[in-house]
Amino acid sequence: MNSNMRKHLFTLLLCLTCTVGVQAQDVFLQIREKAQSGVSDPDANVVMKKINKFKVDELDYLSMKMKECMPDSSVTFLDRQAFAMNSFLTLYMTTVLKAYSQPKAFQVKVLQLFMDASYSNPLFNDEDKEVTLSYYSRSDSVTRFSLDTDWRRAIAAAMAELKKEEYQF
């Protein structure tokens, strides 16, 4: 990995973790606004734009499905899911950076671990796979995850899998 790419990925990791100090009821909106800003930023690198686009699409999907399937849920539900999604993406990018010096087969295994954690933990059991798997199915996507993900369970699953011996760096 060249130093320029490392610098971009380090900046990306810093941006992914910038929700500290936000009031609980503002987490969802803060993450969404920051992601939308990143999508619109003409100076942002391509990887960052793609990750932010995923965040915006995911949070819009989450909000829409919650209103449709769980109309009595509180804003706390959205905040927790948004925070877990942000944490999941941070863990994913950190792990990808660590795996970069490993053999290609290991890198693919790491990607598959996160894809499986997302896919195996649906939140709404949405039947519209064309929408829910729109990022997951695209091999050129930086964020190959299902939109229909319970992010709290997905990050727990990913962390548990990473603790296994075969994923130690």
Side-chain angles (χ1 to χ4, degrees), residues 124-138:
F124 303 107
N125 293 307
D126 192 340
E127 296 295 321
D128 188 353
K129 299 302 180 196
E130 187 175 332
V131 170
T132 62
L133 300 180
S134 58
Y135 284 88
Y136 184 92
S137 302
R138 290 183 47 209

Side-chain angles (χ1 to χ4, degrees), residues 108-124:
V108 169
K109 203 172 187 180
V110 167
L111 172 63
Q112 194 62 52
L113 175 153
F114 282 92
M115 289 174 67
D116 290 347
S118 168
Y119 184 81
S120 300
N121 291 288
L123 183 59
F124 303 107

Side-chain angles (χ1 to χ4, degrees), residues 36 47-48 61 87 112:
Q36 185 60 56
V47 172
M48 192 66 197
Y61 171 83
S87 298
Q112 194 62 52

Side-chain angles (χ1 to χ4, degrees), residues 137-155:
S137 302
R138 290 183 47 209
S139 63
D140 66 331
S141 178
V142 176
T143 50
R144 295 190 63 190
F145 310 122
S146 171
L147 294 177
D148 183 15
T149 297
D150 181 333
W151 295 104
R152 296 175 77 191
R153 287 190 342 223
I155 193 168

Side-chain angles (χ1 to χ4, degrees), residues 49-116:
K49 281 185 182 257
K50 287 180 178 184
I51 290 171
N52 282 316
K53 177 69 171 129
F54 174 80
K55 285 183 179 184
V56 170
D57 289 348
E58 169 57 26
L59 294 174
D60 288 348
Y61 171 83
L62 182 63
S63 178
M64 176 196 69
K65 289 303 282 186
M66 188 193 88
K67 288 174 187 164
E68 178 184 313
C69 300
M70 306 162 63
D72 296 331
S73 290
S74 69
V75 71
T76 304
F77 173 82
L78 283 175
D79 288 340
R80 288 179 179 157
Q81 286 295 319
F83 185 78
M85 182 256 321
N86 209 49
S87 298
F88 182 93
L89 290 173
T90 301
L91 178 63
Y92 169 66
M93 292 306 297
T94 302
T95 308
V96 166
L97 280 173
K98 287 179 183 176
Y100 194 79
S101 63
Q102 301 293 321
K104 187 71 170 170
F106 183 80
Q107 293 175 32
V108 169
K109 203 172 187 180
V110 167
L111 172 63
Q112 194 62 52
L113 175 153
F114 282 92
M115 289 174 67
D116 290 347

